[in-house]
Amino acid sequence: MALKTEGDFGVVERGEWSYAAAVGVGPLRFGMTVSEVVEAAEVLGPAKVSDCRRQYAVFSQTWKVEVHRHGGDPSAPAVTAYVSQDAGLFAVACDAVQGPQVAYHGLLLVGREMEELESDMIAYAEEHDVQFRYTCEGHAGPDDPGIVMRAQPVGVVLRSRPLFMVPRDGAWTEWDSLPSEED
């Protein structure tokens, strides 16, 4: 299914990816090698691999794989995947404008105005008698340790840019695993 998102930032043919906790998002599975990530991401577009700055000595070598849409803006990756030498793929960030849409129990997570997403999370939690959580930055998101909600400025609006994660080598939680590029 190809979703279109409109707003003050234009229209993008997003596509829709599924998310499975501790398994992966879209065609990307946690634990994949860099070459497996590049091959799986070809459905979206070409990938560029670069080294990540090593923030802590406990982490093994880490690479960033930026995947650009076929025919899209070459400067804005739709998806950024992070792969460590020891743990493999451990994080996938979906760009608020270019990224594929990912839903969590029917709630769309990518490219949403942060205030609107918070209102929807509260309503969902009340309706289904479940919890939601706030990040350290104050962004509402699902009560799933594998989803870290981040905000991306798009014009004058903050839009959602979720990271789908598992803990990487040497880390206890997803928060400890955040790539240096995502701090």
Side-chain angles (χ1 to χ4, degrees), residues 75-118:
S75 65
V79 171
T80 304
Y82 296 94
V83 182
S84 85
Q85 184 174 359
D86 290 346
L89 176 66
F90 68 91
V92 178
C94 293
D95 183 79
V97 176
Q98 298 291 325
Q101 188 54 262
V102 181
Y104 180 82
H105 296 277
L107 289 170
L108 299 178
L109 297 179
V110 182
R112 305 279 308 279
E113 286 191 30
M114 295 304 288
E115 290 178 14
E116 177 185 83
L117 179 58
E118 179 181 35

